[in-house]
Amino acid sequence: VTGVQTCALPISYILSVLGNKCPRCREGYIFNSKNAYALKNSEYIKMPDKCPVCGQPTEIEVGFYYGTSYVSYALTVAFSVATFIAWWVLIGFSIDDNRIFYWLTLNAVALIVLQPVFMRLSRSMWLSWFVKYDPDWKDHPVGNQERVVEEHMGNW
């Protein structure tokens, strides 16, 4: 059928980002630990140098993940807006009591608890915007990243 457009974001893309999988092969995990709350020794945020399945480098250039702060900020703002709307619809706000302070407290606690999840999700999203999916990744070797300077790897 011609003229029919498919969904802009396929389900496999969304699942790979939410599952913290490599954007190139969508099979290998981009974090050393699958647990977002493995806080001992900062294991929740450590990443291998390359995807264990396809060999895609996870750090494309020095300081590559600095941009994830903007993504993380957008995610936390979206989460706060969603909880605000949910609170407003389900519980409501009034000038006669302190319900807004209850929401502020609940939202702040939720943001602190979900911080490792938002950080990992923002890194996964950021990497997926710069590394495109290759369904034939087995036939196409990973090329050298043009802006990688080996001597500066890991300096951030």
Side-chain angles (χ1 to χ4, degrees):
V1 177
T2 59
V4 176
Q5 292 189 0
T6 59
C7 178
L9 290 176
I11 297 297
S12 62
Y13 169 76
I14 295 170
L15 292 176
S16 71
V17 168
L18 291 176
N20 296 315
K21 295 201 175 179
C22 172
R24 181 171 180 257
C25 65
R26 295 185 181 166
E27 292 179 22
Y29 289 97
I30 60 171
F31 291 99
N32 290 341
S33 173
K34 293 181 186 177
N35 182 4
Y37 293 98
L39 301 178
K40 186 176 184 181
N41 298 326
S42 301
E43 278 299 315
Y44 72 100
I45 201 65
K46 290 184 180 175
M47 302 173 77
D49 292 335
K50 297 179 180 183
C51 171
V53 176
C54 70
Q56 171 66 42
T58 56
E59 187 174 350
I60 296 175
E61 62 184 347
V62 175
F64 175 69
Y65 289 107
Y66 284 137
T68 61
S69 60
Y70 299 105
V71 179
S72 183
Y73 177 75
L75 289 172
T76 57
V77 167
F79 177 80
S80 296
V81 168
T83 60
F84 180 82
I85 291 171
W87 188 278
W88 188 6
V89 169
L90 298 174
I91 296 173
F93 291 107
S94 172
I95 58 172
D96 299 328
D97 59 20
N98 295 328
R99 283 185 261 181
I100 192 158
F101 296 110
Y102 297 141
W103 169 77
L104 283 170
T105 303
L106 180 70
N107 189 60
V109 168
L111 287 174
I112 290 169
V113 169
L114 291 173
Q115 188 272 338
V117 174
F118 285 140
M119 189 180 318
R120 287 168 65 113
L121 182 59
S122 65
R123 279 191 174 204
S124 184
M125 290 172 70
W126 188 256
L127 184 61
S128 74
W129 295 339
F130 292 93
V131 176
K132 299 303 174 203
Y133 174 61
D134 184 4
D136 299 321
W137 63 268
K138 291 178 183 174
D139 298 331
H140 302 137
V142 177
N144 288 338
Q145 302 296 319
E146 64 183 49
R147 296 176 65 178
V148 169
V149 179
E150 291 294 327
E151 296 82 34
H152 294 273
M153 294 301 287
N155 285 343
W156 61 281

